[in-house]
Amino acid sequence: MRIPCLIFFLALFFNLQSQNFSISGSVKDGKNGETVIGATIYLKEINKTASTNQYGFYSITAPKGKYTLSISYLGYKTVSQEIDLQNNITTNVSFSPAETNLDEIEISAKGGNENVKTTQMSAVTLDMTEIKKIPAFMGEVDILKTIQLLPGVKNAGDGNTGFYVRGGGPDQNLILLDEAPIYNASHLMGFFSVFNGDAIKNVTLIKGGMPAQYGGRLSSVLDISMKDGNNQNFQVDGGIGVIASRITIQGPIVKNKSSFLISARRTYIDVLAKPFLDKSDFKGTSYFFYDLNAKFNYIINDKNRIYLSGYFGRDKFQFKSEEDHFKTEIPWGNASACLRWNHVFNPKLFSNTSLIFTNYDFSFIATQEDFEATIKSGITDYSAKYDLNYFPNSRHNIKVGVNYIFHTFVPTSISAKQGTTTFDLGKAVKLYAHDAAIYISDDWEITQKIKINAGLRFGNFTQIGPFNRYNKNFQGKITDTTRYKANSVVANYNGLEPRFSIRYSLNPTSSLKAAFTRNFQYIHLATISSVSLPTDVWMPCTEVIHPQISNQYALGFFKNFHDNMFETSIEAYYKTMSNQIEYKEGSQPSDNVYDNPDNAFTFGKGWAYGAEFFIKKRTGKFTGWIGYTLSWTWRQFAEINYGQKFLAKYDRRHDMSLVLTYDASKQWNFGMVWVYGTGNRGTLPNGFFLYEGSLSSDYGLRNSYKFAPYHRMDLNVTFTPNRTAKLEKRRVAMTKEYEQQGKDVNSIQLQKKWCKNFSNSFTLSVFNVYNRYNPYFIYLTRKGDFTDGSLQVGAKQVSLFPILPSFTWNFKF
């Protein structure tokens, strides 16, 4: 009875305060009906602000009285209206895009000082309009490449979209697409991300101070929201690039009530490369990838709305040799679907219910004559979550929620057959687990100077049967098997995850913030290579594998200058990580045959610390940012590097990025990116010795070699011709000519709307402008003979990309 009574008295306390009423509603783009995430709601008379949530809903509470309600967001005209607050009011707002000069457009951005006023630290929100201005590799707008330009986020080098946040690994980042986890976020072995920019509305990265509603990963959250679809007019967006093309179609099903969006992208590397490959040693090689995003939403009434969104993407590599009767096929990819229901109980209580499906699978199929071998791995999730957002008054924003996931893991599974004969390589291993969590948090403004966000998350993870545990003796031989029946408990873990952050306002333009975050991670990515590949294996916690646990402490100073034209911040962090996972020396995924996959791993600890500096210019024709990170990342494993601590392979002492965009006019836009990073680390031989007649390498300590620094500059220029006036002029001339000839002009009149809405642009991008040969990996060469003293050993660096120009045509109507 204690908990229900506590809830009753808390509600009674909030309601018995002075006559308070709520203003609530949704904020959307009046042109296309898209909900606006992160718009600022401001009551001038009492200096109170609120923000729209990820569904565009807001609620702000104030005493009875008259107020000026202002709502603002980047690129839109600020909406202001007088409110006589005598009872609860619902006010839905439609924004109009600003059409004044660029300086005026951007000054209205998200209230201007949200980075100073909120408790959230170590977080960045990027709009797709901003991302699309930044130079992109081969002209393909890439969300993951963009966030790697932020301080505290490190890339793995050219040709990889894996990213490392504050000393964590690529598996320690929770990547969400419309709430659905994406387990492998890259195409073409990491050259491109799976996210089609034309289908994306908003991107938020949280590096520290993770709110309680997020869990399951140690380092960061990348929360990506898809567009809802234009519920006002039909719209087509697309682009044709050097290696890929894309198209997005969206429009109303019932105007102002429901809409759809379908977005597709495909590369044509296989078509372009085939004439060249057919004349080389790579004849028979083919590779391509494609993506498909879709979304449907329906506004039932002011209190209820449903969304159905999905993603499906595949990479497919093939090699076929007619001469050797050999063929190999390697498909891999993600699939996700999410059904969501938004419900407004009253002006102070908002809920969201989600049902989510996620799948990632990898296959390797090789055939030669009548012999066939197959390797498979993957993970499938079915999940449900329920979240409540309660706004009792203007000082509190309470969030409560629960979520459940049923995991099915398929670590590396191998099968083989020849003709009608199937080889016994053991049954395909499947691991099953329940993953549940509950959380509560309160964003509480204690005084105008002090505001805190306190949250608590409790998670429980249970591996269940059917499962066979192979027991081994000290020689590594299997002595017996422990068999677990279906749904019986194999291993169980749980833990509390406190989250706390505080903001102290020094003045209206500056504040101090501090945060503590404790995270548990119950699933792990096992990788042998130094970069993320589709062959990497996801594993759950088992009797052998324990949850990864991190504790992160962060402290920051935030300051805005010149009427919020400049945002600046300095953040320091310290993070500890336990139960880190690595393959044992010499282990391979194929060792899983007649063995438990978790026997191939070793476990250790890690810690990271550093400081991040960030300056962003957010208004005017020139915009962009400078980010710099000074950091150290350490690992220590009892069975690796003789038990000594070592710097992680992605440790970079210095990491800097400069991002600039310049809107010269409505027709011309310029962009520049320059990055510099201390070289990654690796392990190379210190020398060689003769063992049983063969030359062997004597390797140094783990990651004791540091590669050359990485640096690169990219440029782009976008030209948007003013074709509307020309097309309209042509239409008017044709109409006049048809009228003089007595012809039907209706067909031409129908072009008027198309002429008005059609726009296109041409983007020229140059990757690696000054042709820097950045290291991808190093290999050793040997000449001569060890025995007669003529042996010469050399090291050669392999680099991926020289200077690469690309051209893209984008269109919209």
Side-chain angles (χ1 to χ4, degrees), residues 496-681:
L496 286 171
E497 303 174 42
R499 315 285 175 83
F500 180 83
S501 58
I502 183 171
R503 178 225 69 197
Y504 179 77
S505 294
L506 300 172
N507 54 54
T509 62
S510 60
S511 64
L512 288 171
K513 299 182 185 182
F516 168 75
T517 307
R518 181 175 175 86
N519 290 75
F520 279 68
Q521 181 165 329
Y522 298 104
I523 65 173
H524 322 270
L525 185 67
T527 177
I528 290 178
S529 66
S530 60
V531 297
S532 297
L533 294 173
T535 52
D536 296 343
V537 176
W538 285 94
M539 287 289 298
C541 284
T542 65
E543 296 169 291
V544 176
I545 303 175
H546 294 262
Q548 299 182 56
I549 305 173
S550 75
N551 294 299
Q552 182 177 165
Y553 309 84
L555 180 67
F557 173 70
F558 298 78
K559 173 71 175 177
N560 288 3
F561 296 93
H562 296 292
D563 293 328
N564 299 312
M565 177 182 287
F566 293 93
E567 295 179 0
T568 65
S569 65
I570 301 173
E571 296 188 45
Y573 67 89
Y574 180 80
K575 180 163 68 174
T576 61
M577 295 165 282
S578 60
N579 300 326
Q580 300 300 282
I581 183 172
E582 293 275 359
Y583 272 108
K584 293 177 180 177
E585 301 282 7
S587 293
Q588 297 289 335
S590 57
D591 296 340
N592 294 346
V593 178
Y594 286 117
D595 198 0
N596 296 123
D598 50 17
N599 287 330
F601 305 122
T602 185
F603 308 95
K605 63 181 180 179
W607 60 99
Y609 48 91
E612 301 166 3
F613 304 83
F614 187 59
I615 302 173
K616 181 177 182 180
K617 186 175 184 293
R618 54 188 297 278
T619 65
K621 294 187 175 183
F622 261 117
T623 57
W625 67 80
I626 301 174
Y628 170 72
T629 305
L630 173 68
S631 63
W632 289 260
T633 302
W634 294 91
R635 293 291 187 269
Q636 188 171 24
F637 292 79
E639 298 183 50
I640 296 176
N641 203 48
Y642 309 104
Q644 300 179 40
K645 70 176 183 178
F646 57 91
L647 289 164
K649 58 196 173 189
Y650 38 84
D651 171 79
R652 284 185 178 178
R653 192 69 61 250
H654 306 284
D655 196 84
M656 176 177 279
S657 60
L658 171 63
V659 179
L660 292 175
T661 62
Y662 176 58
D663 293 316
S665 67
K666 290 184 178 181
Q667 281 73 49
W668 291 97
N669 170 267
F670 300 88
M672 187 199 81
V673 167
W674 182 77
V675 294
Y676 173 88
T678 305
N680 286 339
R681 293 186 169 271

Side-chain angles (χ1 to χ4, degrees), residues 23 42-45 65-71 79-86 89 91:
I23 308 167
Y42 179 56
L43 292 179
K44 180 180 178 181
E45 288 75 9
K66 294 183 179 182
Y67 299 96
T68 301
L69 177 70
S70 297
I71 302 179
V79 174
S80 296
Q81 62 184 90
E82 300 300 319
I83 298 290
D84 187 5
L85 192 60
Q86 301 298 321
I89 295 175
T91 302

Side-chain angles (χ1 to χ4, degrees), residues 23 223 236 249 267 274 342 428 457 506 516 518 523 579 599 750:
I23 308 167
D223 198 345
V236 178
I249 302 172
T267 183
K274 190 176 187 303
N342 290 173
R457 184 182 182 92
L506 300 172
F516 168 75
R518 181 175 175 86
I523 65 173
N579 300 326
N599 287 330
L750 290 174

Side-chain angles (χ1 to χ4, degrees), residues 89-151:
I89 295 175
T90 298
T91 302
N92 297 320
V93 176
S94 293
F95 270 135
S96 297
E99 297 178 355
T100 54
N101 65 65
L102 294 170
D103 296 306
E104 291 175 349
I105 290 174
E106 298 189 10
I107 283 175
S108 68
K110 61 174 185 181
N113 60 352
E114 287 298 296
N115 61 309
V116 172
K117 295 175 68 175
T118 64
T119 56
Q120 181 65 61
M121 63 183 301
S122 310
V124 178
T125 297
L126 297 172
D127 188 87
M128 283 308 301
T129 304
E130 186 177 9
I131 293 175
K132 288 181 177 182
K133 292 181 180 180
I134 298 172
F137 176 67
M138 300 303 289
E140 288 298 306
V141 173
D142 197 319
I143 291 170
L144 297 190
K145 290 288 196 298
T146 301
I147 66 166
Q148 292 168 12
L149 301 172
L150 298 170

